[in-house]
């Protein structure tokens, strides 16, 4: 690539002073729109309240009529409060749904990729050290704890057991026999 092509940026066709004046005009226009919007909201609020709440004429009413008017206002207050509560609940529910959908969009966006898993060979000692930390003492040599069997010993044992089976059964029948079997198995 040509180094001059990287350094040279396309120049703007609008001068800096013109850009600044355009920005100022846009900001002024935005401020006017905001002011107009707040005035419109206030007008709408006054119109809505005038529509929903006509002015009260209490001076010419008797005590019973005043009580009846209070009951009507109380009933309207209850329905209005229920509507307000329902609207608030709808808004909170919609906000919660929006948050959940945003999280789903982020998950589906694919920004986070799962790394390819590699096989890791970890010995039993390393695994216990990772799980227990400094509490792990001693080594766990699992292969060392396995019973080793020699083929020569198996042949000798099988030839000695081939003899008279009745004697073998009588010798092993009591508690002494079980102890002999246990000792014989543990000695190998």
């Amino acid at each position: 690539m040509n180094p001059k092509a990287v350094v040279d940026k396309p120049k703007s066709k609008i001068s800096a002073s013109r850009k600044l004046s355009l920005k100022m005009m846009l900001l002024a226009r935005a401020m006017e729109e905001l002011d107009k919007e707040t005035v419109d909201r206030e007008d709408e609020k006054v119109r809505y309240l005038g529509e929903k709440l006509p002015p009260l004429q209490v001076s010419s009413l008797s005590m019973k009529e005043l009580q009846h008017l209070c009951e009507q206002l109380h009933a309207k207050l209850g329905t209005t409060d229920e509507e307000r509560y329902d609207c608030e609940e709808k808004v909170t529910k919609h906000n919660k749904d929006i948050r959940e959908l945003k999280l789903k969009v982020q998950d589906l966006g694919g920004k986070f990729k799962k790394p390819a898993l590699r096989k890791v060979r970890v010995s039993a000692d390393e695994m216990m050290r990772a799980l227990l930390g400094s509490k792990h003492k001693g080594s766990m040599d699992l292969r060392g704890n396995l019973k080793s069997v020699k083929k020569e010993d198996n042949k000798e044992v099988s030839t000695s057991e081939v003899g008279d089976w009745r004697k073998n059964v009588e010798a092993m029948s009591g508690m002494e026999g079980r102890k002999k079997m246990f000792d014989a198995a543990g000695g190998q």
Side-chain angles (χ1 to χ4, degrees):
M1 274 182 106
N2 190 358
K4 283 187 177 181
V6 175
V7 175
D8 292 337
K9 292 183 180 178
K11 293 188 177 184
S12 177
K13 294 181 181 181
I14 302 173
S15 67
S17 62
R18 177 77 176 145
K19 279 185 182 179
L20 184 62
S21 65
L22 286 174
K23 283 182 184 178
M24 295 298 288
M25 290 172 61
L26 283 173
L27 285 174
R29 178 67 186 238
M31 290 297 290
E32 290 174 8
E33 291 291 325
L34 281 175
D35 292 339
K36 183 181 175 188
E37 188 176 323
T38 55
V39 169
D40 288 346
R41 280 187 187 171
E42 288 297 320
D43 291 342
E44 179 67 23
K45 185 177 178 181
V46 169
R47 186 194 61 78
Y48 181 80
L49 288 176
E51 199 176 280
K52 292 289 183 178
L53 271 170
L56 291 177
Q57 297 174 353
V58 186
S59 60
S60 65
L61 297 176
S62 67
M63 184 60 86
K64 285 187 177 185
E65 291 173 340
L66 281 175
Q67 286 177 346
H68 183 67
L69 180 64
C70 287
E71 289 173 0
Q72 287 178 347
L73 290 175
H74 186 69
K76 282 185 180 180
L77 181 70
T79 56
T80 305
D81 197 34
E82 288 175 5
E83 289 175 8
R84 180 192 55 82
Y85 179 77
D86 291 342
C87 289
E88 285 179 358
E89 288 301 313
K90 282 182 183 178
V91 167
T92 55
K93 183 181 180 244
H94 288 310
N95 286 340
K96 183 180 175 186
D97 291 343
I98 287 170
R99 268 187 261 118
E100 289 177 0
L101 290 173
K102 280 183 181 178
L103 288 174
K104 282 184 181 179
V105 167
Q106 282 180 347
D107 289 344
L108 293 176
K111 289 184 179 180
F112 307 105
K113 293 182 181 177
K114 286 185 180 179
L117 298 177
R118 292 178 279 149
K119 284 188 178 180
V120 179
R121 296 193 78 161
V122 179
S123 69
D125 290 328
E126 291 173 0
M127 201 177 304
M128 291 304 289
R129 225 176 283 122
L131 290 173
L132 300 176
S134 62
K135 294 178 184 177
H136 175 64
K137 295 178 182 173
S139 67
M140 287 188 56
D141 186 16
L142 298 176
R143 289 188 179 159
N145 293 337
L146 294 175
K147 181 178 172 183
S148 61
V149 178
K150 296 180 182 176
K151 291 184 181 180
E152 298 168 5
D153 292 341
N154 286 342
K155 290 179 184 176
E156 292 174 12
V157 170
S158 64
T159 55
S160 65
E161 290 179 3
V162 173
D164 190 10
W165 61 274
R166 287 185 206 124
K167 290 180 187 175
N168 230 357
V169 169
E170 289 173 5
M172 302 278 188
S173 63
M175 195 61 161
E176 304 83 28
R178 293 185 189 273
K179 184 177 178 187
K180 287 178 190 175
M181 279 181 28
F182 184 74
D183 290 341
Q188 291 181 351

